[in-house]
Amino acid sequence: MAVASHSPLVRSGGPATPYPDLLRVLGEHFTRAEPRDRALAYVRALLAAPGRDSAARIAARSGADSAWSTQRLLTRTVWDADRLRDSIRAHVVPLLGASGPCAVLSRHETARVGTGAVAVAPAGVGRAGRDRNTQVAALLCYVSRNRAAVIDRELHLPSRWTSDPERCARAGVPPERVRPHTMADLGQEMLERALAAAMPVGWVFGGPDFADPQLRQWLCRRRLPFCVELPQLPYPQSESDASAVRTEPGREEAWQLLGRGLGPVYGHPAPGFRLTLLARRLPSGHSSCFLLHTPSTAPDVPAARAMAAAGAAAARAVHEADTRAGLSSHQVRTWVAWYRHTTLAMTAAALRLEGTLHLETEPGAAGGPAGAGPGGPP
């Protein structure tokens, strides 16, 4: 199955020419030829038309006779999505390098029709006045040189699911997962896996879903520098604070130091580290508050700016995985199928990244990845 011409894995006027390494890695996770070929075809189908689609259309694009073979790949075929996840991480991290390496925790929310699929729950009323149902996942991205890739994923079970073991059983949720997990819990699980695999982690960045005190204290005990966005300002902002946080000429954002050496309410920094509170204001007027854990000698604002830039790079990678690699392009209903589809979409996204980097380093191409900047926080 040829990949669509808009994919960077395709040379003009020729066949698809991705690096073979990751495809070979994918193939090695299957002992039989039929499921191996089906998995390779599934990844190519996601790259060819990444928009959300039915299982039947994905099957048709992958060359399958019916949707059943695709469904079987995601539900019954014997293969380990977690082992493939580990292989993706082992492949992508050296590909991006270790220049100011940052692990970014991201929330990924996908709108769903109905509430029958695993982990889907009502999320209020949408813009059209209709009930909105969503499926929420925690993603871990690896960022280096302003490039990012999704390397891990965990599906978040809302309380209406964890309080209904029978419903979870029908969706194939493992019994050990049928208990409350916060997004921060899932983030810590993914970070623990990355560190156990010796992934270089210079910094950790997370949004408001990952500002939980327990996760922050775990990061402090591991002596890991981090920057997390707090869900809200810890105190009402005064008029003098608001005037101080104004956009600086020639900059897209302005940062203000709110306090160093914070009290125990914010946690206990590692020896030789400090906790710092900063505010950021964008030209739009939106303000947010960040808690920074850095070595005592590190400059605060430059470090926070670099971490925010890593967060933006991760957001772009997640968006690329969604729009170009089919991350949300599924109608799966069970736990196993979600993890398998998501891992295959991560494979497709890694192939796109690999192809892009390959094209950029070809003779005549601009030197270095587009947008590559400083290695990381000072």
Side-chain angles (χ1 to χ4, degrees):
M1 173 96 185
V3 182
S5 60
H6 62 265
S7 169
L9 304 184
V10 176
R11 297 180 190 273
S12 177
T17 55
Y19 279 0
D21 295 350
L22 190 54
L23 291 177
R24 184 172 64 248
V25 168
L26 173 61
E28 290 172 352
H29 285 265
F30 298 86
T31 57
R32 295 174 51 242
E34 188 274 334
R36 179 179 64 244
D37 293 344
R38 183 61 52 218
L40 293 170
Y42 191 90
V43 168
R44 291 191 173 100
L46 291 177
L47 288 169
R52 187 178 304 173
D53 220 336
S54 66
R57 292 189 178 183
I58 292 177
R61 286 199 303 273
S62 67
D65 296 332
S66 69
W68 171 241
S69 61
T70 298
Q71 294 284 7
R72 189 167 64 245
L73 172 70
L74 298 180
T75 56
R76 298 190 179 187
T77 302
V78 177
W79 64 283
D80 192 333
D82 287 347
R83 285 186 59 239
L84 178 58
R85 170 207 64 203
D86 294 344
S87 296
I88 294 170
R89 179 184 59 232
H91 185 82
V92 164
V93 169
L95 188 68
L96 291 178
S99 177
C102 181
V104 177
L105 295 167
S106 302
R107 174 191 176 96
H108 185 248
E109 185 175 299
T110 306
R112 292 285 178 240
V113 176
T115 58
V118 62
V120 173
V125 179
R127 293 182 179 179
R130 299 177 181 176
D131 291 339
R132 188 169 64 96
N133 302 313
T134 62
Q135 193 177 48
V136 176
L139 301 179
L140 179 64
C141 296
Y142 178 77
V143 183
S144 175
R145 295 179 300 162
N146 206 31
R147 289 285 199 186
V150 182
I151 60 168
D152 206 343
R153 72 287 178 265
E154 286 292 346
L155 185 59
H156 178 256
L157 283 177
S159 58
R160 64 172 53 208
W161 278 81
T162 56
S163 62
D164 190 347
E166 292 184 3
R167 186 185 188 190
C168 289
R170 290 194 298 270
V173 181
E176 65 272 14
R177 302 297 296 189
V178 186
R179 59 185 180 86
H181 283 82
T182 66
M183 292 289 283
D185 292 334
L186 301 178
Q188 182 173 329
E189 287 183 17
M190 295 188 293
L191 288 171
E192 286 175 341
R193 285 197 289 265
L195 293 171
M199 187 183 89
V201 178
W203 295 78
V204 176
F205 180 84
D209 289 283
F210 304 97
D212 182 87
Q214 291 187 355
L215 176 57
R216 299 199 314 250
Q217 202 54 50
W218 178 81
L219 292 169
C220 289
R221 290 195 300 270
R222 297 298 299 258
R223 298 181 61 84
L224 283 171
F226 67 80
C227 181
V228 291
E229 182 179 352
L230 300 180
Q232 59 186 4
L233 289 173
Y235 55 86
Q237 193 177 24
S238 67
E239 292 184 7
S240 60
D241 288 338
S243 62
V245 187
R246 60 181 183 276
T247 304
E248 302 171 16
R251 291 193 180 276
E252 296 181 354
E253 59 187 22
W255 291 81
Q256 180 197 10
L257 178 65
L258 298 180
R260 290 195 184 103
L262 304 174
V265 66
Y266 291 98
H268 301 279
F273 283 65
R274 68 166 175 253
L275 288 169
T276 305
L277 199 63
L278 301 106
R280 178 181 69 173
R281 181 167 180 168
L282 300 176
S284 63
H286 175 75
S287 295
S288 49
C289 191
F290 292 84
L291 184 65
L292 191 66
H293 179 248
T294 58
S296 301
T297 56
D300 299 314
V301 172
R305 278 203 178 104
M307 285 301 91
R316 291 193 297 270
V318 173
H319 179 72
E320 282 283 307
D322 241 345
T323 59
R324 302 293 185 88
L327 185 65
S328 299
S329 177
H330 64 81
Q331 294 180 344
V332 300
R333 300 178 66 83
T334 66
W335 179 271
V336 169
W338 184 89
Y339 275 89
R340 289 185 170 189
H341 168 85
T342 303
T343 309
L344 290 170
M346 288 164 52
T347 307
L351 276 168
R352 281 193 57 87
L353 174 64
E354 189 175 49
T356 300
L357 295 176
H358 175 55
L359 292 178
E360 289 175 351
T361 56
E362 284 186 330

